[in-house]
Amino acid sequence: MRPIAGREELDLFSRLPYVLNEELADDLAQGHRRPEWMWVALLGNRLLARAAWWSRVGSDTPFNLDILDVDDSLSAAERVKIGVRLLHTAMSATVPGGSPPPEYSRFIPPDWRDKAATRSVVEDRMAIVEHVGARLFVERLRLEWRPRTPIPEPSGRLAFRPPRDRAELPALMTQALDGTLDAHSRRDLTRMSAAAAATRHYEDELARYTSPRDWWRIAVLPDGEPVGFVVPAHNGYNAIIAYLAVLPRHRGHGYIDDILAEGTRVLAEQDVSRVRASTDLGNLPMANAFRRAGYVNFGREIKMAWS
């Protein structure tokens, strides 16, 4: 069990199939991955298991564990045993001590529970991570808008403008956390104030996107009062709806449809090949808004966390 030597071993690392294999070379080149964060379990020349972490460019610590695979031709007991041993070994060398390890995430089909083979793959990986101390945190829907999907015309109820300054969006994000259904946000609110959670989210994610900030939109009533906001962006992989919210006092009026349509329109005008988004499985109002806007649920994502 060892990390790969470098780019020359990407073919070895990619022998086990997964949707992220095609991104590995670019991720290494851009600094999202490092060879010492990409581990393999070998029996001779046979790849039995692998694990890898991803991080933001410039960070010296992994952000999440997003690849964990085992050879599915092994017996169920062997798959879990080898996977647990690899993950223990790799984590002890990769993850800094003194804090919970980064979350584990895996992209999965939308109907993964309905097919025995697919379900086995997902549950084996989850069992490995559970043996190393993590628990299921949330399941999320992965959503996609595709070109030629109609975008609703503006209703005229709202006007849209970019944020006035750097402080406006975090202030609105703070308000939007009141009553949030998002699992990560709800967890943050048990650990810090709404203002601190909003500021951290803004600085750690939204402010890092290199796409133009004049894509961002504040939705306002005719008198100028903010109703909500949307953050269209590009994360280096896809055009995305990075954040979408209606402020508490304006919920229940259908404004989310106008705001999502505006964010989608901004990205569609950039002639993108698709727009991606995600939301928690249990966040039905948000999921329904994306469905009404023509977004397709093309996959799901499992997230597991160490407490």
Side-chain angles (χ1 to χ4, degrees):
M1 296 187 180
R2 62 172 177 82
I4 64 171
R7 293 175 61 90
E8 64 272 20
E9 287 197 311
L10 273 183
D11 286 345
L12 166 66
F13 188 83
S14 299
R15 287 178 187 171
L16 297 178
Y18 185 48
V19 65
L20 294 183
N21 281 1
E22 62 189 31
E23 298 176 0
L24 295 176
D26 285 344
D27 280 353
L28 274 171
Q30 294 171 15
H32 287 298
R33 301 189 190 274
R34 299 181 182 184
E36 61 267 29
W37 295 349
M38 303 173 68
W39 282 69
V40 292
L42 299 169
L43 181 62
N45 196 40
R46 181 184 176 188
L47 180 62
L48 300 181
R50 65 177 186 167
W53 285 262
W54 179 96
S55 190
R56 298 184 175 108
V57 174
S59 176
D60 290 328
T61 57
F63 180 77
N64 71 331
L65 171 68
D66 64 342
I67 294 177
L68 177 62
D69 286 302
V70 290
D71 183 341
D72 289 306
S73 68
L74 298 167
S75 70
E78 288 177 315
R79 292 195 296 269
V80 174
K81 180 180 179 180
I82 292 171
V84 168
R85 184 179 169 193
L86 173 65
L87 191 52
H88 266 305
T89 303
M91 284 177 61
S92 65
T94 303
V95 178
S99 60
E103 286 185 353
Y104 167 65
S105 68
R106 185 174 183 87
F107 295 142
I108 54 179
D111 57 351
W112 69 274
R113 288 182 175 87
D114 301 332
K115 299 177 181 178
T118 304
R119 183 167 185 157
S120 175
V121 167
V122 176
E123 292 181 342
D124 281 349
R125 277 64 171 173
M126 292 178 68
I128 292 167
V129 181
E130 285 175 348
H131 276 79
V132 188
R135 295 294 179 266
L136 176 64
F137 180 66
V138 69
E139 184 171 339
R140 290 174 63 80
L141 301 174
R142 303 183 69 207
L143 306 155
E144 185 174 273
W145 177 91
R146 295 160 182 168
R148 293 179 293 281
T149 301
I151 301 173
E153 293 296 322
S155 69
R157 298 193 300 167
L158 301 174
F160 295 91
R161 60 168 174 78
R164 290 196 178 99
D165 54 36
R166 188 229 173 270
E168 185 177 23
L169 187 57
L172 294 176
M173 292 167 64
T174 301
Q175 295 181 47
L177 287 173
D178 183 7
T180 180
L181 298 177
D182 179 82
H184 286 89
S185 295
R186 291 168 70 92
R187 182 180 62 185
D188 286 345
L189 292 175
T190 68
R191 301 173 176 178
M192 64 190 78
S193 68
T199 298
R200 189 174 77 167
H201 187 173
Y202 179 90
E203 293 177 349
D204 287 355
E205 181 182 347
L206 306 185
R208 292 174 179 264
Y209 292 132
T210 58
S211 47
R213 294 191 185 181
D214 61 10
W215 290 359
W216 302 1
R217 293 290 186 267
I218 309 298
V220 298
L221 294 171
D223 63 2
E225 180 183 356
V227 163
F229 57 89
V230 62
V231 180
H234 199 290
N235 64 4
Y237 300 93
N238 292 286
I240 61 170
I241 299 294
Y243 203 146
L244 171 67
V246 177
L247 302 185
R249 64 178 294 183
H250 295 291
R251 291 170 184 160
H253 301 289
Y255 290 137
I256 192 171
D257 293 336
D258 300 76
I259 299 171
L260 177 55
E262 177 67 12
T264 306
R265 188 177 298 109
V266 168
L267 293 173
E269 289 172 354
Q270 313 308 314
D271 197 29
V272 298
S273 60
R274 61 193 179 195
V275 177
R276 290 273 174 91
S278 61
T279 192
D280 292 356
L281 181 61
N283 192 343
L284 293 180
M286 192 67 73
N288 288 335
F290 279 106
R291 176 182 52 78
R292 291 192 298 270
Y295 282 69
V296 176
N297 174 211
F298 73 95
R300 294 193 181 186
E301 180 181 13
I302 289 289
K303 285 186 171 285
M304 300 179 69
W306 284 257
S307 58

